[in-house]
Amino acid sequence: MKIDARNLSRVLADPGAWRILLLHGEDTGLIKERAQDAVIKIAESADDPFRVAVLDRETHDKLMEEATALSLMGGRRVVRVRDASDSLLKPLEAFLAQNSDTLVILEAPGLSSRSKLRNFLEKHPNCASIGCYPEEGRNLESSITRMLAEHNVRIDSDALHWLTSRLGADRAAARSEIEKLCLYAGDAGNLTLDDVRASIGDAGSVSLEDAAFAATEGNRVAADTALERALAEDISPIAIARSFLGHLHRLRRVRAAMAAGISRSDAIKLLRPPIFFKRTASFNRALELWSLPALTKAVEETQALEYACKQTGSPDALLCRRYVSTLTARAAMQARR
């Protein structure tokens, strides 16, 4: 069964209601987190040798053996399968035909919508298929607030907005930063914007921010250097596209306000989260180079880049490099006029 957003929390709260749980999508950190949470809910431990079996690509052939084995110490067993693919379709069909209470959890990042395994499980009433995609906007804010609440930590609204724009798209990296903030705040603490900036520092998506700011002011060397640093840090091309899109949206918002008669300084003050003071000069230089129509076109091109990066088998890193090169060249051309 394909699980939609409305039923997601219910399914994740009770994974034991299913025989197979398929976790697929682009966010590998979120896939791992949800898989581990499900294992703990069933077996009460992530590594109980009697109730939990973990299979990687090299041991997929043991799936039926592990899925039909009995727990020596009692309780329901869990088989966690990493790098799941269509090659597991036949053994899973055989498993579902047998009477077993073992929960099989499949971690399948990148499994396409045309996958035979995915189509089979989405139609089966005893199987749950859950898409795990990078969160953004209000969904990401909700997740951040929820993770902080687990440690009884609160966060001011402006700090939350700034943190949301700063964190990368991978759930594992985001949780790591949240845990750092919780240690910084302490029990029942409250995080201000200054607290978050002091704790996060150069972590998160700073390379992406460097690349976006450098590109829109026409600095080719700085933009390329920051982009390559981001790619070397395993930041996904989709996250890169979204970071550029957020920056361009903010530039466009200010330009639109200026077109409506608001002064540049007042328009910039309306942005939430506010521009970090060390970025103000770069942001202003970009405003001088980009007109409202040019920013609208750049936003459309960035949206097209994100869509292209989501296509299976696309040369996403190459597409990002070409996009940044084109954007930077356009800004540099305006600077020379």
Side-chain angles (χ1 to χ4, degrees):
M1 182 180 297
K2 186 175 182 179
I3 306 303
D4 58 26
R6 292 171 299 175
N7 297 312
L8 181 58
S9 59
R10 176 179 57 82
V11 172
L12 294 176
D14 185 22
W18 310 89
R19 295 191 63 190
I20 297 177
L21 193 65
L22 171 65
L23 301 170
H24 63 88
E26 301 159 1
D27 194 334
T28 56
L30 184 56
I31 288 174
K32 291 177 181 178
E33 180 177 306
R34 286 176 172 172
Q36 179 151 312
D37 287 347
V39 169
I40 293 173
K41 280 185 171 67
I42 300 301
E44 301 176 354
S45 170
D47 53 6
D48 185 331
F50 299 104
R51 297 180 62 186
V52 179
V54 180
L55 304 179
D56 54 26
R57 189 187 300 272
E58 289 71 30
T59 54
H60 280 180
D61 58 335
K62 295 183 179 180
L63 175 58
M64 274 298 291
E65 175 186 342
E66 294 289 353
T68 56
L70 298 176
S71 174
L72 298 178
M73 304 299 290
R76 190 174 179 185
R77 296 187 76 251
V78 182
V79 179
R80 183 175 177 180
V81 185
R82 292 173 174 150
D83 297 316
S85 65
D86 284 351
S87 63
L88 296 176
L89 179 56
K90 288 189 179 299
L92 288 172
E93 286 177 331
F95 163 70
L96 289 169
Q98 297 193 22
N99 185 19
S100 170
D101 68 347
T102 297
L103 172 64
V104 175
I105 300 174
L106 305 174
E107 298 178 41
L111 197 65
S112 75
S113 58
R114 298 186 297 274
S115 161
K116 293 180 181 180
L117 174 63
R118 180 171 162 184
N119 286 326
F120 170 73
L121 296 178
E122 289 181 349
K123 295 176 182 177
H124 199 288
N126 295 324
C127 305
S129 174
I130 299 175
C132 302
Y133 301 101
E135 294 177 310
E136 58 183 347
R138 292 187 177 180
N139 289 335
L140 181 55
E141 287 186 359
S142 297
S143 292
I144 291 171
T145 304
R146 185 169 58 252
M147 286 188 276
L148 289 171
E150 292 172 4
H151 299 271
N152 199 26
V153 173
R154 299 179 304 279
I155 185 169
D156 291 350
S157 60
D158 57 346
L160 177 60
H161 294 325
W162 188 88
L163 182 60
T164 300
S165 68
R166 194 75 168 181
L167 288 180
D170 185 81
R171 180 60 166 255
R175 180 167 285 278
S176 175
E177 295 301 328
I178 295 301
E179 290 173 352
K180 184 196 299 182
L181 285 169
C182 290
L183 288 173
Y184 183 94
D187 293 337
N190 184 80
L191 293 165
T192 66
L193 179 58
D194 289 339
D195 293 332
V196 174
R197 282 176 171 162
S199 178
I200 296 298
D202 290 332
S205 58
V206 63
S207 299
L208 299 186
E209 195 170 272
D210 286 341
F213 273 81
T216 52
E217 62 173 306
N219 190 334
R220 177 66 181 271
V221 173
D224 286 347
T225 300
L227 175 64
E228 293 305 321
R229 190 190 312 136
L231 291 171
E233 292 169 354
D234 291 328
I235 296 176
S236 74
I238 294 173
I240 292 172
R242 288 177 177 173
S243 179
F244 272 77
L245 187 60
H247 178 57
L248 289 168
H249 270 309
R250 284 159 69 79
L251 286 169
R252 188 181 183 282
R253 196 172 301 133
V254 172
R255 264 294 177 186
M258 291 169 62
I262 300 175
S263 69
R264 181 196 296 184
S265 59
D266 287 342
I268 291 176
K269 289 176 183 178
L270 294 174
L271 291 176
R272 291 292 180 274
I275 300 295
F276 188 40
F277 74 94
K278 291 184 179 180
R279 304 281 192 186
T280 303
S282 176
F283 193 86
N284 274 293
R285 282 194 293 271
L287 285 172
E288 293 170 1
L289 299 176
W290 293 86
S291 65
L292 183 57
L295 286 169
T296 300
K297 181 181 179 182
V299 165
E300 293 171 350
E301 291 172 347
T302 312
Q303 291 170 332
L305 171 66
E306 180 180 348
Y307 178 78
C309 288
K310 290 180 178 179
Q311 305 309 301
T312 303
S314 70
D316 47 9
L318 179 61
L319 291 174
C320 281
R321 290 187 177 99
R322 186 173 66 183
Y323 162 83
V324 171
S325 176
T326 302
L327 190 72
T328 308
R330 198 175 299 163
M333 186 180 298
Q334 289 298 319
R336 289 193 294 267
R337 289 183 177 178

